[in-house]
């Protein structure tokens, strides 16, 4: 069923469907807020990942650190940010990775007022580009 | 009788807390962010609340995906700062006004707002950053100047409660507070926002014109502000801009007519537009 927010570009709205699909992925990510879990993930990532009933695709996206795919597969940014923090990546660096620009470019864009709303409301505006 | 005298709207960007905790607020990047809170810190001293009622959201720190309450009222004796992955913020434990919180819990449910009651809860930057910016530096061994009653709102899993629902909840919070016997001055905080998107290819979105119109509308026509649709927040202010629904709880708890005594707006703090407003009941 089409959703009214489906036409917003570059955005995955974390709704009940994504929440259902991403449940174990997100539950995995949130454990990384605890040092003992971070240690277990460092010691044996495959064994640690195996504890969570994620899909193979989700598990592969975790291995690949494919940040946008993780969102598409039901991850929520506040959860995936904990995986990023595990790698020593903060929110702004993570945003740069997801938008495909360098840290410096992203930081400069924010200092210049951020990404403009103009041209970024509808998917159709991105298709023209 | 307890009374609400003023409302504070305030972003709760985690990087603002980090800047305070690592003493870099004087850097060129941060100075303009913190300059806008100098007035506010003096105002908090001049209008010292007996209790702060603070509306915020948890960022998948304390609430994991297993339980997602739309409205959760903090009724525990105290709320320790949570470890969000880098160790807990070095700020005081938040003490509750537990008697008033219990009274509000009871009053809200009888007023048809079926909140979740939290008798144990840690709090993340969503709550501690507004405390820090409004009250200034307080270390682990200090105490915050007053007790805090937290109300956590789900704005992470779509849909967040509607703006209208939040506005009406604010009115119910006011009725609850005004039916509490003790003569106490309560200031209500609505936190989060303003425009920002943290995720995917549109990350970094900022819509300053929209944010400023929102601040105008919040002061002058709160009912119209509360009717802003979820789709508009998502499209115009970024996927995380929807946090602004929490400001309507604050606004709903105030009089229809308020005096805007302070406003601060700055871009950026990390990925986010910082917005701040102080409204006094007339």
């Amino acid at each position: 069923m089409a959703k009214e927010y489906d036409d917003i570009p570059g955005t995955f709205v974390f709704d009940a469907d994504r929440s259902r699909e991403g449940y174990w992925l997100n539950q995995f990510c949130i454990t990384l807020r605890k040092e003992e879990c971070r240690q277990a993930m460092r010691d044996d990532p495959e064994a640690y990942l195996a504890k969570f009933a994620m899909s193979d695709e989700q598990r592969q996206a975790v291995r690949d650190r494919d940040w946008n795919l993780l969102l598409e597969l039901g991850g929520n940014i506040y959860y995936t940010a904990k995986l990023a923090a595990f790698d020593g990546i903060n929110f702004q660096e993570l945003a740069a990775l997801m938008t495909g620009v360098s840290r410096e470019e992203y930081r400069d864009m924010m200092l210049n007022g951020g990404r403009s709303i103009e041209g970024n409301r509808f998917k159709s505006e991105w298709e023209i580009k | 009788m307890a009374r609400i005298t003023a409302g504070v709207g305030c972003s709760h960007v985690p990087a603002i807390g980090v800047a305070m905790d690592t003493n870099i607020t004087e850097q060129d990047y941060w100075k303009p962010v913190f300059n806008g809170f100098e007035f506010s810190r003096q105002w908090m001293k001049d209008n010292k609340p007996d209790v702060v009622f603070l509306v915020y959201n948890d960022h998948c720190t304390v609430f994991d995906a297993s339980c997602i309450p739309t409205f959760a009222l903090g009724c525990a004796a105290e709320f320790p700062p949570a470890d969000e992955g880098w160790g807990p913020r070095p700020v005081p434990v938040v003490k509750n006004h537990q008697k008033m919180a219990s009274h509000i819990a009871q009053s809200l449910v009888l007023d048809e707002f079926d909140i979740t009651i939290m008798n144990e809860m840690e709090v993340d930057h969503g709550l501690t950053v507004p405390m820090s910016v409004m009250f200034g530096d307080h270390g682990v061994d200090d105490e915050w100047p007053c007790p805090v009653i937290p109300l956590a709102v789900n704005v992470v899993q779509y849909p967040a409660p509607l703006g209208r629902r939040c506005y009406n909840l604010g009115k119910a919070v006011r009725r609850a507070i005004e039916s509490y016997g003790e003569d106490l001055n309560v200031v209500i905080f609505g936190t989060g926002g303003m425009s920002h998107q943290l995720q995917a290819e549109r990350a970094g979105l900022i819509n300053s014109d929209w944010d400023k119109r929102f601040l105008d509308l919040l002061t002058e026509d709160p009912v119209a502000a509360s009717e802003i649709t979820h789709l508009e927040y998502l499209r115009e202010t970024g996927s995380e801009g929807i946090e602004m629904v929490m400001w309507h709880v604050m606004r709903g708890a105030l009089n229809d007519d308020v005096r805007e005594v302070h406003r601060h707006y700055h871009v950026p703090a990390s990925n986010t537009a910082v917005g701040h407003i102080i409204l006094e009941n007339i």
Side-chain angles (χ1 to χ4, degrees):
Chain A
M1 199 173 79
K3 294 171 179 168
E4 59 177 1
Y5 40 79
D6 281 345
D7 63 347
I8 302 174
T11 303
F12 299 104
V13 175
F14 185 68
D15 59 15
D17 285 327
R18 285 195 197 286
S19 176
R20 186 187 69 246
E21 289 161 11
Y23 185 72
W24 287 111
L25 168 61
N26 290 321
Q27 291 297 71
F28 151 71
C29 288
I30 198 171
T31 63
L32 299 176
R33 149 176 124 75
K34 302 280 182 197
E35 179 50 33
E36 65 265 28
C37 299
R38 291 196 289 269
Q39 193 55 52
M41 176 73 178
R42 275 191 289 266
D43 289 345
D44 189 344
E46 283 305 317
Y48 193 68
L49 280 173
K51 291 180 183 206
F52 300 88
M54 280 182 255
S55 69
D56 291 343
E57 206 182 0
Q58 288 170 332
R59 209 169 277 126
Q60 191 57 43
V62 171
R63 287 186 199 106
D64 296 342
R65 301 298 198 265
D66 189 333
W67 302 108
N68 285 323
L69 183 59
L70 285 168
L71 301 175
E72 191 174 344
L73 298 176
N76 172 273
I77 187 65
Y78 293 115
Y79 292 102
T80 58
K82 288 171 176 66
L83 177 62
F86 173 79
D87 291 349
I89 298 169
N90 69 26
F91 265 106
Q92 190 164 69
E93 292 158 351
L94 180 56
L97 289 168
M98 288 183 293
T99 56
V101 298
S102 71
R103 253 183 240 189
E104 291 70 27
E105 276 175 87
Y106 186 87
R107 187 182 154 98
D108 287 348
M109 176 183 80
M110 294 315 299
L111 280 168
N112 289 320
R115 185 184 307 284
S116 169
I117 186 67
E118 296 309 326
N120 291 314
R121 290 185 173 94
F122 297 94
K123 279 184 176 165
S124 57
E125 295 175 299
W126 283 25
E127 282 152 15
I128 296 163
K129 285 191 273 183
Chain B
M1 164 181 113
R3 68 211 177 278
I4 296 174
T5 53
V8 169
C10 180
S11 301
H12 57 218
V13 189
I16 293 178
V18 175
M20 287 182 70
D21 300 341
T22 55
N23 298 309
I24 56 167
T25 58
E26 290 298 314
Q27 288 183 359
D28 289 346
Y29 184 93
W30 287 109
K31 231 177 163 165
V33 174
F34 288 97
N35 281 348
F37 289 98
E38 275 174 25
F39 173 93
S40 317
R41 290 177 185 179
Q42 188 58 46
W43 184 92
M44 290 306 297
K45 284 181 188 155
D46 297 342
N47 299 274
K48 190 181 170 307
D50 298 309
V51 179
V52 163
F53 187 94
L54 199 152
V55 186
Y56 78 108
N57 70 286
D58 179 80
H59 302 77
C60 310
T61 306
V62 176
F63 296 97
D64 68 14
S66 68
C67 180
I68 305 169
T70 294
F71 296 116
L73 187 72
C75 291
E78 54 183 44
F79 311 99
D83 184 347
E84 302 182 46
W86 299 271
R89 284 197 63 214
V91 292
V93 168
V94 176
K95 304 273 175 67
N96 196 356
H97 191 302
Q98 216 177 356
K99 253 179 102 176
M100 186 188 264
S102 326
H103 169 81
I104 293 172
Q106 188 160 318
S107 176
L108 286 179
V109 175
L110 293 175
D111 213 353
E112 302 184 25
F113 282 89
D114 310 315
I115 44 121
T116 299
I117 292 168
M118 301 301 294
N119 285 324
E120 281 184 41
M121 185 168 77
E122 295 182 337
V123 289
D124 76 1
H125 69 268
L127 185 139
T128 61
V129 166
M131 291 296 287
S132 294
V133 293
M134 294 302 290
F135 289 109
D137 285 308
H138 285 75
V140 179
D141 298 325
D142 299 332
E143 286 201 14
W144 293 115
C146 69
V148 178
I149 302 176
L151 178 76
V153 179
N154 164 49
V155 292
V156 172
Q157 179 169 322
Y158 185 89
L162 295 177
R164 186 194 309 139
R165 182 72 173 156
C166 290
Y167 181 76
N168 288 328
L169 173 60
K171 297 205 170 296
V173 168
R174 178 180 181 153
R175 286 190 289 272
I177 288 172
E178 290 185 345
S179 62
Y180 186 73
E182 243 177 297
D183 182 26
L184 296 171
N185 173 27
V186 181
V187 172
I188 182 165
F189 285 28
T191 72
M194 298 193 73
S195 58
H196 67 304
Q197 175 154 337
L198 302 175
Q199 54 127 339
E201 288 175 275
R202 202 173 69 138
L205 187 93
I206 298 287
N207 192 343
S208 302
D209 292 339
W210 193 100
D211 287 339
K212 288 169 187 168
R213 282 201 303 277
F214 178 81
L215 291 172
D216 291 341
L217 204 59
L218 194 79
T219 305
E220 293 158 14
D221 193 349
V223 173
S226 75
E227 297 291 336
I228 294 168
T229 64
H230 277 7
L231 185 61
E232 181 168 345
Y233 287 113
L234 291 174
R235 195 187 304 286
E236 296 292 327
T237 76
S239 48
E240 279 65 56
I242 205 159
E243 287 181 352
M244 279 183 272
V245 295
M246 294 184 288
W247 292 46
H248 300 303
V249 182
M250 175 273 283
R251 187 61 184 91
L254 301 179
N255 291 352
D256 292 346
D257 293 324
V258 292
R259 185 185 312 114
E260 182 180 323
V261 293
H262 182 58
R263 183 191 290 205
H264 171 44
Y265 186 81
H266 176 77
V267 177
S270 186
N271 301 298
T272 307
V274 176
H276 169 44
I277 200 165
I278 301 179
L279 304 173
E280 291 179 356
N281 271 340
I282 298 176

